[in-house]
Each structure stands twice: as C-alpha cells, then as structure tokens.
Amino acid sequence: MRTEERVAAAAEAEQDARERGRTGEIREGDLPEEEESRLLEKTWSDGPGFWGWLTSTNHKSIGKRFIITAFIFFVLGGILAVLMRIQLARPENTFLGPDLYNQIFTMHGTTMMFLFAIPIMEAFAIYLVPLMVGTRSIAFPRLAAFSYWIYLFGGITLYVFFILNIGPDMGWFSYVPLAGPEFSPGKRVDIWSQLINFTEISALAASIETITTVFKMRAPGMSLHRIPVFVWAMLIMSFMVMFAMPAVMTSSLFLTLDRLVGTHFYNAAEGGDPLLWQHLFWFFGHPEVYIIFIPALGYVSSIIQTFARRKVFGYTALVLSMIATGFIGFGLWVHHMFATGLPQLGSSFFTAASMMIAIPSGVQIFCWIATLWAGRPRFRTPLLFVVGFFFIFVAGGLSGVMQASVPVDLQLHDTFFVVAHFHYVLIGGAVFPLFGAFHYWFPKFTGRMLGEGLGKLTFWLMFVGFNVTFFPMHQLGLQGMPRRVYTYLPGMNWGSLNLLATIGGTVLTLGVLVFVINVFLSRRKGEAAGDNPWGADTLEWGTSSPPPAYNFLRIPIVQGREALWARTEDEPVAEGLRTDCREVLLTKILDAEPDNKMVLPSPVIWPLLMGLAATATFISSIFTPWALPGGMVLAGLALIGWGWPKKKDERCERESVDEMSDEERRREAARAQ
Amino acid sequence: MKRGKARIDVSRLPEFAFGNRGLMWWGVLGFLAIETTMLVICFVSYFYLRDRVLEWPPPPTELPDLLVPTINLVVMLLSIIPMYLVDRAAKRLDKRRVLIWMVVSIIFGIAFVALRAFEYYALNVSWDTNAYGSIVWTIIVIHTFHIATEVVETIVITTIMALGHAEPKYFVDSSDNALYWYFIIGIWVPCYVIIFLAPRFL
C-alpha cells in the first residue's frame, strides 16, 4: 500500500476515535507557529533545576555530557602520558618508580580505550544521529540516560581506586597468568575487570539505541541509499560493538571468577589455558580498533563533503568498504598473538586477513581524494585535521602492513615500534578526525563558531607534536627498546630519541591546551554561527544552533542523499504529530515510509538509580561473590520502577482496550499488525 | 525544519504496532543478539578447553546425569505453547486471554526455574574442580540469570495488566516479551546439548 492510501484508509478509523471523544490532544498545525514551538519546547525539555538535570532523557543533553566527560578522561589519560614521557626523557630517571609506572601505563591505556575512545564515539552518535535522521529523540531515551550514568560511575570508580594506590598495573590488555590470582594478588586486577563491565554495558546500550534509531526513526524519504555516510558509520560501529563487546565481557567474567571463586579457565594446571584469554580479549580488542576508527570515517566523510563543496565521490563504494572493514575487522585478532607460537596455517590466514583490510581502507582514501580533487576545497580547521588524518593514518597503516608479516612481527613484538604503530593508527585514525569533528560541529552544539586562528594553531601544534613524539619510537623499537619499561641504561643509546619524543609530547600537549582555551573563549565570545555556517548538507544543519529540545519544528521529507542540498523550494514536511506529548514518527526500515507513531516515555530518575544499583553491585563483587545475587535484586527493583506505569504519562497514552467495543478492538488490532 | 508547504499528514497513522513495526521489538532483538553472542563465546571456550586435555570430562570427574535436565528441557519447550497463546491473544488485544495464558506461562516458568536447582546437582562437578567444571557452571549460571529475569519480567507485566492497565502498549510489551521467552528457551537447547550430551561423545 502506498503512503497516501494507507493514510486514507486510516482516516476513517481515526475519525471514529475522535468522535468517541478523545479530546484535548494538540497536534502540529493546531496552533500558530510561535505558540506551537513554545509548546513543543515545553513537551520535550528536561524538567527544571538540578532534578531535571538528574532525570534528563534528552539525547542532546546526554550527548553533550557524554562528550564533555569523555574529553575530561582524554585529558586525564593525556596527563598520565605526559608523566610517562617525563620519566623516559633520560636514562635511569627516578621521577616515577616501577610500581607507579606500571599503574600509570595501565591507567593510560585503559582510560584512552575504555573511557575516552569508545564513549566519545557513542556520544557523537547519541547527539547527532537523531538530528541527522530527522527525528525528535533517540529511540530509547531512558536507556541513553542509563548508558551515560553507568559510564560516569565506572570512570569515577577506576580513578578513585587509582588515587588510593589500588590502580590496575598489569597493562590495559591484562594478560593472564600475570593478571591471574597467583601473580596479581590484591584487588587491582578486579577493579580493572569491573571497569570493563561498566563501560561495556554502557557501550552495548548505546549501540542498541543507535541501531534502533537508524532503523525505525528516519525521516520520511530517507531510504537506505540516502542515509548519510556518518549515520552508516555509526550504524556499523554499533553492530560491531554488539558482536565484539560480549567477548571481553565474557573473558573478564572468566577472569573475575578465576580470581574470586577459584574457577580454572586460565589455570593450565587444571585444564585451563592462558591463551584462551588472549583469544577472547583480542576477538574484542581488534574489532575495537575499528569500533573507534569507523565513526572517524563518518566524521571525515561529513567534513570532506562539506568543505569540498560537492557530494562525496563513490557513496556506495564508501559504505560498502566500511561494511567490509566491519566484517574483516573480526578476522584479524590472531595477529596480536603471532608471538605465542600458533600453528603455521593460522598465522598465514591472519596474515592474509591483516593485509586484506588495507583494501577497503584504500578504497575509502581514494574516494575522499577524488572528492577533494573534484571539489573546491576550503581549508578551514576541520579539513586541516582531515588532511592530517590522511598523512598520519596512512603512515600507521603502512607500519601495520609491515607487522602483518609474521617474521617482522616476531622481531618487533612488544617493542616501541608497536607503540609507534598503534598511536599512528589510533591518534591519526581517530583523534585527528575527532578534533576535526569538534571544530566542525562546535557551532551546532553551542551556536558559536570555534576561533579559526586558534583552531589552525591547535592543528599545527598537534600535527607537529604528534609526529615528533611518535616517529622516533619506530626507530627506538627497531633498536630494541621494549615497551612498558620504566627506565633504561645509558649504554643503550636510546636517550636522545626518547628526549626528542618527550619534547614532541610537550608540543602535542600545548596543542590540546590551545584547543581547550579556544573552546572556553569561543563558548563566550565566539562569532554567532547561525543554522548552517558551513553550508553543509545533512539535516542537523537544517535546525537552529544549538537545536531546540524538539530538534525540528516539522519532520522534514527527505528528497535526496544530500538532504539539505536536494531540498526543493516548497520544503516538504510531515505534519500531524502531537505537540503536547513526546510523540515520534516511526518509518519503515528500507524506504522510510511513514508507518506508525509512538509516544516516548517522560524523564524519570530510574536510569540513575539503576546506574547506582549496578555500581554498588560491581564494586561489592570485587570483594564477595554474594554481591551478584544481591545486586540482581537491587537492579531488578530499579528495572521494575523504570518500567512501572507513571501517572504523568497516562495523559499521552492510547485509551485502554477495556473502553473499546469489540469491533473497534478488532480494527485497532488489525491496524497494528 | 520550518513549517514547509507541501505536507504529508501523519496524524492518522496507528499509535502502536506489533513486531518489527514497533521500537521495543528492535530493542529486544538487540539484547537478544548480545546475549546470544555471549553464550556462543562460552560455547567456543568450551570446545577450546576440551581441546586442551586428553579425556573429557577430565578424570576423575564423572559424566553429568541426564534425567532431571531432560525432564526440564521438556518442561521448558512445553512452556512455549502458553507463551505463544499469550502472543496471539496480545495481537488481538484480548486482555482476558492474555492474562490467562500469562499465568499459565508463569507457572511453567516457576517450574523450570525450580527444576533448574536440581540440574546443578546433575552436573556432578563443582566449578572449582577443573576447567571443565568452570565452563559448564558458567554456562548454566548465565542461563539461569536469564530465565529468572524473564520469569520476573513476565510476572511484572502480568501484575501491571491485572491491576487494570489495558492500554495497547502493554499488549505490545506482552508480545515482545514472548519473543524474549522463545529466545531463552531456544538458546537452552544448544546449552543442554553441550552441557549434558557433549561430554558423552567428546
């Protein structure tokens, strides 16, 4: 049935419903424009004051908090990195002792991976995906609130224990037997494995929200082949999260059980195997790299399209190569384990897969170069960061292809060459696009432009600083310097390159500092941005900056892949959603035809309470297994409170089935199949 | 977006919908995918650990008993019938039948959760005996958490509806809840095969 026919068919039923006396509903178009936007603002806003802040379920408030929190963890992780660089600046330095150094490099890796990189990508998805697909909210707003709280509490827990000198000290991938009960007594490892639970639950919840939003809430007309590349990237990331994160949850569950109740998963004496940990961890750990990298591809595509002022070249090739990356990303994990003596055939397979993943990456890079080539590029700060990304990421990719070869990998395993390689890939592949994204979307988040002069300074300091820090590490690795050593002897001749890296680190830090200053200055005094300062094409630029609580006064009808560029003069929109309730339009998964509507739940405190219940469970389960059943009861109560009918929501609900006649009920049921 | 000129009217679209037309169904599907992945990773670990030793279960550990687990498997599979009837009644907005079959399903649910307690004895191994014991215990405990949660969830929805809430969204919830029920029963089949049958052949 076509939309018009369906609407016509539904008209009759609805007319009856109205005649039955469902009065008091206010819909779009019932009020004059100004009153209507006031009502929508009231309907979709968080409650007032501190309570409103605690109960917020608005995806933009949550997204902003998420971004700020993740950035604070980035700064904390960065401070730890600076401490390590100071320690390594000269041989036999005594700035940090070995125990503290172990804690610091573990905290640095854990923070950057689990508390910064994954969460900030989700944060961008939570803020931007609903705007880009043209709807008023994320799919499960309470779940979004929960995913923020649990993440925040997890991060705080880790740092509190670190300050109490019980920070994890066995490296961010926590290899057994070092992390097992025999070699790591005490609670340090347990804190790490509980942190995994916090951040994974947060990430999994966020991925479900994102997938459902993209599948069901796209504006009419945004069929699959019109979804912005950014949204595709977030969708693919979410799927990868769903299938990768359970591996690390399971493996850290095994680790917790080994340490807490004496199971033998990793105990070779009783039939367990330490290598099982490595397999499970890297089955998560390698896709994780792409979980961080694929959203960055989304940022890069958005920025390039906007600043090249033409549509992106090879949309289909780009999307398919991202999907290919998502799949191949799951077939690479063993290349982290070449040094463990695996069978030859296995090694060959994973060598081939590791080289193969360069193909889709190559396709992407060529598509972007073609876009820039054929466009009229404006080299504003966001595009500079993208160009920086090209250079750094390609260099990191090349050293990656080198290490895909087993003999080279055996030589370089656990040296600074590896440290150099993955910082090129991760900082080049994720942090540079991310800073581009900060500069690009800052006007949308705040309504003000980020200073261009300071922005360019940020870029050059970061670009130069990054390369001066990490390029020498390739050489250090080739000269045999192992990673994770707290100091080295003067006779090794590693001193001057290490000093150079430390100087580079200082410059890089300055770059981040300039960025922070720029944000604070521009937040207050920046140039007003207007709706669409860059002339971009995606829907978030079609509403005011910052967007109102309800995102769009009307749900737009999308007419082409570049939604705003393709928009015709008459600006078609969908109309008829309720303005006095949080009603959203659900569309069909393939062609985004309007299908049905739904009222989303109002803000409540339960997601926060649920977060607290989970936090209490995780922390106490470090000390006793009985925390688990106890926590189940707490979490169960919080869940029941969460789902229990709320008085304040009743106004917006469809009338009770008890009040319908048999015939009405049959008709309603038929419409809902 | 401004109030543009050309419009389509969405005011008359249905205000609730079952199955994959609604949001909650996708949420359930998402959780289901995550939990399946987690259990599959446990299965893979099981076979990985099997490969580390010569005999399975490693002596002197005895084979698990079959009687209670098999009875419980049958109970669990039978519970799909009342749950299917809940699903069907929910899709017809038939409150009375939904409540009746919900209660029957809950009775089944309580029965299989109670029988589960005896399945632990049937394992004939403790979690801290050896790696074999560790993995079978982990699989069965994870699954127990799932069935316990699902039975509680079903009780909560039933209570809400029994207290007089009959808005259509609770019918949609009942139907989506049935999907989760099918899942926890369905996923037990490979768990059962791995825990109770596989040691006899591996």
Side-chain angles (χ1 to χ4, degrees):
Chain A
M1 235 194 308
R2 289 184 52 81
T3 313
E4 290 84 346
E5 289 166 13
R6 184 197 311 283
V7 170
E12 201 186 340
E14 193 66 26
Q15 195 56 42
D16 290 356
R18 292 207 167 167
E19 281 162 16
R20 276 201 315 274
R22 288 171 58 204
T23 50
E25 290 181 6
I26 309 170
R27 291 182 182 279
E28 291 169 341
D30 287 356
L31 295 173
E33 182 157 338
E34 220 164 277
E35 261 178 71
E36 182 167 85
S37 56
R38 257 203 311 275
L39 178 60
L40 273 169
E41 183 71 31
K42 181 168 161 268
T43 304
W44 285 94
S45 299
D46 300 327
F50 184 58
W51 185 254
W53 190 84
L54 289 178
T55 56
S56 169
T57 50
N58 184 307
H59 74 97
K60 294 177 294 299
S61 326
I62 296 167
K64 234 186 312 189
R65 276 175 215 177
F66 234 125
I67 292 174
I68 293 169
T69 313
F71 192 79
I72 290 172
F73 281 117
F74 173 70
V75 170
L76 288 174
I79 291 170
L80 297 173
V82 168
L83 295 178
M84 285 191 283
R85 279 318 323 161
I86 294 174
Q87 166 65 15
L88 292 178
R90 61 190 179 86
E92 294 190 303
N93 203 351
T94 52
F95 176 65
L96 300 173
D99 179 67
L100 188 57
Y101 190 85
N102 286 353
Q103 284 189 65
I104 284 180
F105 74 66
T106 306
M107 287 293 291
H108 169 74
T110 306
T111 305
M112 289 306 198
M113 292 306 249
F114 293 109
L115 295 175
F116 162 66
I118 315 177
I120 204 152
M121 300 303 170
E122 288 155 11
F124 269 81
I126 289 174
Y127 192 104
L128 286 171
V129 164
L131 283 162
M132 273 200 196
V133 302
T135 183
R136 286 185 175 150
S137 172
I138 198 158
F140 304 109
R142 289 177 182 174
L143 194 63
F146 170 70
S147 67
Y148 173 71
W149 293 121
I150 187 99
Y151 155 68
L152 176 70
F153 297 153
I156 292 175
T157 306
L158 182 71
Y159 270 82
V160 166
F161 280 98
F162 174 56
I163 289 164
L164 297 175
N165 197 25
I166 341 178
D169 61 348
M170 65 299 168
W172 83 275
F173 40 68
S174 193
Y175 274 3
V176 288
L178 175 62
E182 198 178 338
F183 297 100
S184 286
K187 296 296 174 195
R188 287 181 165 182
V189 177
D190 302 289
I191 284 145
W192 181 88
S193 50
Q194 293 305 332
L195 173 86
I196 299 295
N197 287 334
F198 282 104
T199 50
E200 308 304 282
I201 287 178
S202 162
L204 289 166
S207 69
I208 290 178
E209 293 147 26
T210 308
I211 291 173
T212 312
T213 310
V214 177
F215 276 6
K216 290 305 292 174
M217 297 171 79
R218 303 198 306 275
M222 191 184 276
S223 46
L224 280 190
H225 68 292
R226 287 177 178 170
I227 296 178
V229 177
F230 176 95
V231 176
W232 272 113
M234 291 305 184
L235 184 69
I236 296 163
M237 166 195 78
S238 302
F239 271 106
M240 292 189 75
V241 166
M242 266 168 96
F243 295 111
M245 299 269 168
V248 75
M249 279 190 85
T250 313
S251 60
S252 76
L253 171 71
F254 291 171
L255 180 60
T256 306
L257 293 174
D258 268 12
R259 297 177 54 88
L260 195 64
V261 297
T263 55
H264 300 291
F265 289 103
Y266 306 125
N267 178 7
E270 289 294 348
D273 188 354
L275 271 192
L276 177 61
W277 168 268
Q278 293 197 24
H279 279 293
L280 293 180
F281 185 84
W282 290 116
F283 185 76
F284 145 79
H286 201 85
E288 151 91 345
V289 175
Y290 294 94
I291 288 169
I292 296 168
F293 174 57
I294 286 179
L297 300 181
Y299 307 152
V300 169
S301 289
S302 302
I303 291 170
I304 285 188
Q305 174 155 292
T306 299
F307 290 95
R309 287 179 280 188
R310 58 151 287 154
K311 50 188 172 184
V312 72
F313 174 86
Y315 171 90
T316 314
L318 261 177
V319 172
L320 288 179
S321 68
M322 285 198 299
I323 295 173
T325 307
F327 275 101
I328 303 173
F330 280 92
L332 304 180
W333 81 92
V334 170
H335 75 208
H336 296 266
M337 300 166 60
F338 282 154
T340 58
L342 291 161
Q344 187 87 50
L345 183 67
S347 296
S348 310
F349 174 85
F350 286 97
T351 294
S354 306
M355 291 184 172
M356 190 160 76
I357 200 147
I359 297 171
S361 302
V363 171
Q364 289 149 6
I365 302 261
F366 285 124
C367 283
W368 292 324
I369 291 176
T371 312
L372 284 171
W373 200 288
R376 292 165 290 137
R378 288 173 293 178
F379 282 91
R380 304 291 296 269
T381 312
L383 191 59
L384 279 185
F385 273 101
V386 166
V387 174
F389 149 80
F390 282 160
F391 280 101
I392 299 174
F393 182 71
V394 168
L398 289 176
S399 61
V401 173
M402 284 167 74
Q403 289 171 92
S405 156
V406 177
V408 178
D409 183 81
L410 284 178
Q411 182 67 30
L412 297 174
H413 191 82
D414 264 349
T415 67
F416 259 79
F417 190 90
V418 176
V419 178
H421 160 70
F422 68 69
H423 281 91
Y424 264 79
V425 188
L426 291 173
I427 295 188
V431 177
F432 270 71
L434 187 71
F435 271 77
F438 280 139
H439 286 84
Y440 180 61
W441 276 293
F442 187 83
K444 186 47 67 185
F445 296 157
T446 63
R448 291 182 185 277
M449 305 297 286
L450 206 46
E452 185 67 15
L454 286 179
K456 290 203 159 111
L457 183 63
T458 307
F459 168 74
W460 285 110
L461 286 173
M462 284 181 69
F463 185 75
V464 173
F466 170 81
N467 283 295
V468 175
T469 315
F470 292 100
F471 199 79
M473 291 186 191
H474 290 108
Q475 181 61 23
L476 280 171
L478 291 172
Q479 288 178 6
M481 180 168 170
R483 64 194 285 204
R484 297 179 171 174
V485 287
Y486 82 103
T487 193
Y488 50 91
L489 294 172
M492 306 304 291
N493 288 326
W494 297 334
S496 45
L497 283 177
N498 266 307
L499 183 61
L500 185 61
T502 303
I503 293 168
T506 317
V507 179
L508 182 56
T509 312
L510 271 179
V512 177
L513 198 66
V514 171
F515 171 74
V516 174
I517 291 170
N518 196 5
V519 166
F520 275 104
L521 289 181
S522 306
R523 182 83 191 76
R524 292 278 175 97
K525 299 195 178 115
E527 186 191 331
D531 290 5
N532 191 358
W534 311 115
D537 70 301
T538 33
L539 284 174
E540 81 274 24
W541 301 104
T543 185
S544 54
S545 311
Y550 52 89
N551 288 358
F552 301 99
L553 191 58
R554 286 287 183 282
I555 303 303
I557 294 174
V558 176
Q559 295 159 295
R561 189 173 287 158
E562 290 75 28
L564 292 184
W565 294 350
R567 221 160 156 64
T568 49
E569 280 294 304
D570 58 349
E571 307 212 327
V573 292
E575 189 171 83
L577 290 177
R578 284 181 73 166
T579 49
D580 58 340
C581 288
R582 299 186 170 214
E583 192 169 62
V584 290
L585 178 67
L586 304 188
T587 52
K588 296 205 160 168
I589 185 164
L590 292 179
D591 48 13
E593 254 187 78
D595 186 48
N596 64 85
K597 295 172 295 175
M598 182 184 181
V599 175
L600 292 177
S602 51
V604 282
I605 195 68
W606 291 101
L608 174 60
L609 296 181
M610 178 74 189
L612 288 172
T615 305
T617 312
F618 292 152
I619 294 179
S620 48
S621 69
I622 292 172
F623 303 100
T624 162
W626 292 107
L628 270 185
M632 280 286 282
V633 174
L634 272 185
L637 288 176
L639 263 183
I640 291 171
W642 180 323
W644 201 261
K646 312 280 182 301
K647 259 266 166 314
K648 59 183 171 186
D649 286 342
E650 275 172 16
R651 180 175 61 86
C652 292
E653 256 159 40
R654 197 78 166 72
E655 89 251 73
S656 165
V657 167
D658 297 337
E659 290 161 29
M660 296 178 187
S661 72
D662 280 355
E663 196 205 333
E664 278 169 337
R665 223 179 52 207
R666 261 196 300 279
R667 197 170 50 205
E668 289 292 326
R671 292 178 70 207
Q673 297 305 317
Chain B
M1 288 306 129
K2 307 270 166 356
R3 300 169 149 200
K5 290 197 189 82
R7 291 163 186 174
I8 55 172
D9 183 7
V10 297
S11 63
R12 282 149 189 201
L13 292 175
E15 285 153 313
F16 64 97
F18 290 100
N20 64 13
R21 288 174 70 194
L23 279 191
M24 201 51 86
W25 189 88
W26 289 95
V28 171
L29 199 70
F31 279 106
L32 206 143
I34 290 165
E35 281 146 25
T36 308
T37 312
M38 201 167 170
L39 277 167
V40 166
I41 286 163
C42 288
F43 300 162
V44 171
S45 305
Y46 176 95
F47 290 107
Y48 185 91
L49 291 169
R50 165 67 193 95
D51 207 35
R52 300 291 100 185
V53 290
L54 291 172
E55 283 181 77
W56 196 252
T61 305
E62 286 172 31
L63 283 172
D65 301 335
L66 273 183
L67 181 66
V68 179
T70 311
I71 293 174
N72 206 14
L73 179 69
V74 174
V75 175
M76 288 169 86
L77 289 174
L78 284 178
S79 78
I80 288 180
I81 297 170
M83 206 25 116
Y84 171 74
L85 293 170
V86 168
D87 193 7
R88 207 170 66 157
K91 284 178 176 152
R92 293 175 181 174
L93 299 179
D94 184 341
K95 184 179 166 189
R96 200 175 58 90
R97 286 213 171 78
V98 168
L99 281 176
I100 292 172
W101 292 116
M102 279 284 217
V103 171
V104 176
S105 304
I106 290 168
I107 293 169
F108 267 98
I110 291 171
F112 62 63
V113 172
L115 277 171
R116 174 53 57 81
F118 298 96
E119 284 184 88
Y120 285 96
Y121 290 103
L123 292 174
N124 287 335
V125 67
S126 166
W127 64 84
D128 56 1
T129 311
N130 48 34
Y132 162 80
S134 306
I135 187 68
V136 294
W137 268 82
T138 304
I139 294 174
I140 198 170
V141 169
I142 290 178
H143 190 265
T144 307
F145 273 120
H146 279 90
I147 52 177
T149 314
E150 174 61 3
V151 171
V152 172
E153 168 87 25
T154 310
I155 293 174
V156 171
I157 296 177
T158 313
T159 315
I160 291 174
M161 291 182 77
L163 288 176
H165 282 276
E167 290 85 2
K169 78 169 195 185
Y170 297 106
F171 292 85
V172 177
D173 285 352
S174 308
S175 169
D176 294 334
N177 184 55
L179 174 68
Y180 201 76
W181 188 287
Y182 303 152
F183 158 72
I184 55 147
I185 305 295
I187 198 78
W188 177 247
V189 176
C191 293
Y192 168 86
V193 170
I194 282 176
I195 295 173
F196 296 103
L197 299 185
R200 292 175 154 73
F201 304 105
L202 289 175

